[in-house]
Amino acid sequence: MVNVENLNVKFGENHVIHDVNFIVNQGEIIGLFGISGAGKTTIVRVLTCQIEKKHWTGNVKVTDLSPAKKTNHSLILTNIGYVPQLELLNLYFDLSPIDNVEVFTSTYGKNKKEAIKIAKSLFKILDLPEDTWNKRVKHMSGGEKKRLSMAIGLIHRPSVLFLDEPTTGVDASKRYDILTYLKKLNQTLNTTMFIITHDLESALICDKAAILREGKLLEFDTPQKLISSLPSKGLVARFTVEHLNEKLIDYIKKFSAIKTLLRVGNEEIEVLMDDFEENLPKLIQYMIDNNIKINSMSKDFASFRRYFQIRIQEEEEKEKKFKDSEGD
Amino acid sequence: MYLGGLVRKEFGRIRSNKRTLLLLFVIPIILIVVFGLTTGVGITKLFTSAIITCDDMPTYDDFPNNSSKYDDTFISIMQYNTSSWDLYRYYNATNSEEYDNAYHNCYNFLKNGDIHIIIILPANFSESVENKISPVLIYYIDGSDLAAITAIEVAIQEPIALFRAETDMIANFTMMVPYLEFDVPFWESAILNYAIPIILPIIILGTTINLTSLSIVAEGPLPRMLVTPTAKREIILSKLIANSVIMMLQSTEIFIMISFFGLYSLGSLFYFFLVLLMIGFCGICIGLFISTLSPTEQSANQMYLIMFIMIILFSGSVLPLNADLQGVQIFINLLPLSNAVPLITDITLKGLFPNLENLFWLNLSSLIYIILAYIIYMFKKLEV
Ligand SMILES: Nc1ncnc2c1ncn2[C@@H]1O[C@H](COP(=O)(O)OP(=O)(O)OP(=O)(O)O)[C@@H](O)[C@H]1O
Ligand SMILES: [Mg+2]
């Protein structure tokens, strides 16, 4: 559905995307994760024909068409949908949802009646109350606007839908609603979805997670596989340590089986180890022997959030070492 | 073709913008009604005159058949028959001393604002009429009020026309302050008709620019349109179409309103309506130009204000302009009011065919604004 080979994007001297490769199949949900400036939006803008060819190189195919060719743009844009981050950029607030559907249908040159039928079925899937359909969008709640925005992105039945930060600015409980709706749409319509997001919870519904850092694609795989690539398949021990400080952390780190140690709270640390089951008792013993007071302890599998943190931290350390060695 | 839906969308957006629509359709009504009512229905005498006759044997009031007969007719018309004039004083002066005295008095009346005009009928006035020679008529008006001059010059045509009808006169008057001789009386709504050439274009330009100047900057989902197969030029074309239709409705409304309140156009009403449309179209082009040029709504509002002030200041109606530099003249010509005012004046007050040069510049400026808007819009970076 979407193929990206050796994608490089340069704005003048600014090399923004470095050798990115990935393949996306029909019906997959892809999460694009990365801290601000990582290049998430830039990749999506290449895929949605918004960056001129002179700025990028590589072999890119969206629904088997290359955005490199200007003549393909109109076809690609018919095959894809886009849901911007802000509803203000996607909806005419002074028009009703049905009028909005009409406007955007006309931009795709599709049949109006059919589009309204599709829209109504989408509204139903998304639980948009029927009495809001003909009232101005202005009067809808934030969550309803968000869902309407998603429906508008789908009225022309695109095979790929791009969503920019669909859960940002939505309160925690609603966030899961949005994700559930997206999954529901994905399953009913078999639409391929790209979700640009800072919200690591979104990985819950993603078939593949792409992790970007400074324009490089660090990982591209299912969240489960990524997590289980951690030492001991991602088992994590969590300790609450009294009077935790940097010195103490350095001391604990000296325990040789520890692969990664993260400070996750004021007095909390999480530890990843090789041979977890075997080494956990040894670690506890080591801490007791050294008069480190453990207030509580638990074990669990790492969340995607944790994985992301570890992976980025790892990369930062690698880079630092590389720089230090260069300095010598 | 995606245009249909886009145009409908524009209508939807315009419809939801109640305040602008109110301005567009209600302001003209208010202004026209106010000006229309100000003129009254012909009961009020709008102007006051003093007349000095120089014929030898004036016998006004008891009409003997002598050589001052036509002086009397004229004075009587001034006093009783006109709808727009009142006679304040009448003097007969057969020698220079009497004349100087009479003139001196009238001069003071004029100065104090008691009268608007001093009309002088020279010694051979009645004889000229009798012998079918163009009679001479001299008049003095207060030159300090530019607006009043034209109104008075227009209104003086009424008694003249009445006089000619009364006396079956074929010869023209020779005016000592000649302007244009009108054949058709149109004093019924002198103020309205006098105000039209300047007020109307200002209303139309002000409201149409206001209508369109936010139509691009204030449209949030516009960049998102570019992630659909819609072309940029279709977007701008749909705006031009929808706003032009609204503008046509406004022009029609204005046209009907002023006809109702007694527009008496000497020239063709068709040309008059056509010129209204051209002015409105120019307003829309300027509005779209402002809208593409402005990065934010606030700056669009500021530009609207600046543009509007420039249009009025350099219209030639506020300050008498006579640009020697060609560049400056072109700049002035590209501001629509400088062409719109003379065009409407020519048609309604003078009954002329619209001046081709004015027509050319008015439409050229529309074209330039819309092309600029298009170019700027095409190069504008819009990102979702
Ligand atoms: N048109 C451009 N010209 C120059 N540099 C650009 C341009 N667009 C993006 N960049 C740079 O590319 C880098 C990646 O930007 P991008 O918007 O893709 O990040 P992002 O991952 O989407 O970040 P965020 O989460 O903040 O949206 C940034 O450093 C940005 O400054
Ligand atoms: Mg971004």
Side-chain angles (χ1 to χ4, degrees), chain B residues 84-318:
Chain B
S84 45
W85 288 96
D86 219 347
L87 184 65
Y88 186 75
R89 233 12 97 72
Y90 152 72
Y91 294 94
N92 178 236
T94 46
N95 58 48
S96 64
E97 201 187 327
E98 280 179 347
Y99 179 84
D100 285 345
N101 260 330
Y103 183 77
H104 181 76
N105 287 343
C106 292
Y107 180 79
N108 282 331
F109 296 145
L110 192 67
K111 199 169 153 193
N112 298 333
D114 297 330
I115 59 171
H116 298 95
I117 193 168
I118 307 170
I119 298 173
I120 293 155
L121 306 178
N124 53 3
F125 182 78
S126 288
E127 288 81 353
S128 306
V129 177
E130 209 139 35
N131 298 320
K132 311 227 182 294
I133 306 166
S134 297
V136 175
L137 191 126
I138 306 163
Y139 61 87
Y140 297 88
I141 37 187
D142 182 0
S144 64
D145 187 354
L146 277 173
I149 291 178
T150 321
I152 292 167
E153 288 186 324
V154 163
I156 192 68
Q157 303 306 319
E158 182 194 13
I160 290 175
L162 289 172
F163 180 81
R164 288 170 74 178
E166 176 97 17
T167 57
D168 286 330
M169 187 175 118
I170 300 157
N172 281 326
F173 270 82
T174 304
M175 311 285 257
M176 286 304 282
V177 192
Y179 190 55
L180 266 175
E181 263 224 65
F182 303 103
D183 301 307
V184 187
F186 58 91
W187 41 84
E188 284 293 329
S189 284
I191 295 277
L192 175 69
N193 283 293
Y194 178 66
I196 279 172
I198 177 85
I199 298 292
L200 220 47
I202 291 181
I203 307 173
I204 295 178
L205 284 169
T207 50
T208 50
I209 297 175
N210 183 52
L211 173 75
T212 39
S213 64
L214 291 182
S215 86
I216 292 173
V217 266
E219 185 172 356
L222 211 48
R224 190 228 180 276
M225 288 278 177
L226 304 179
V227 205
T228 71
T230 309
K232 271 179 155 183
R233 63 173 174 279
E234 285 174 317
I235 294 175
I236 204 155
L237 189 62
S238 71
K239 286 179 187 296
L240 195 64
I241 293 174
N243 286 295
S244 295
V245 170
I246 301 287
M247 175 274 289
M248 284 177 196
L249 288 179
Q250 188 206 31
S251 294
T252 310
E253 179 204 74
I254 290 175
F255 186 69
I256 293 172
M257 280 298 292
I258 55 179
S259 306
F260 181 76
F261 274 99
L263 164 75
Y264 200 105
S265 175
L266 279 181
S268 147
L269 288 180
F270 173 73
Y271 289 143
F272 176 70
F273 186 63
L274 213 63
V275 168
L276 289 191
L277 291 182
M278 286 173 184
I279 296 168
F281 186 71
C282 190
I284 284 172
C285 295
I286 293 175
L288 286 176
F289 168 68
I290 290 177
S291 207
T292 48
L293 198 59
S294 319
T296 61
E297 280 187 42
Q298 201 195 354
S299 71
N301 283 324
Q302 284 168 347
M303 268 185 47
Y304 165 61
L305 192 67
I306 293 169
M307 191 76 192
F308 196 52
I309 290 174
M310 283 215 305
I311 286 175
I312 293 181
L313 279 184
F314 295 109
S315 65
S317 304
V318 177

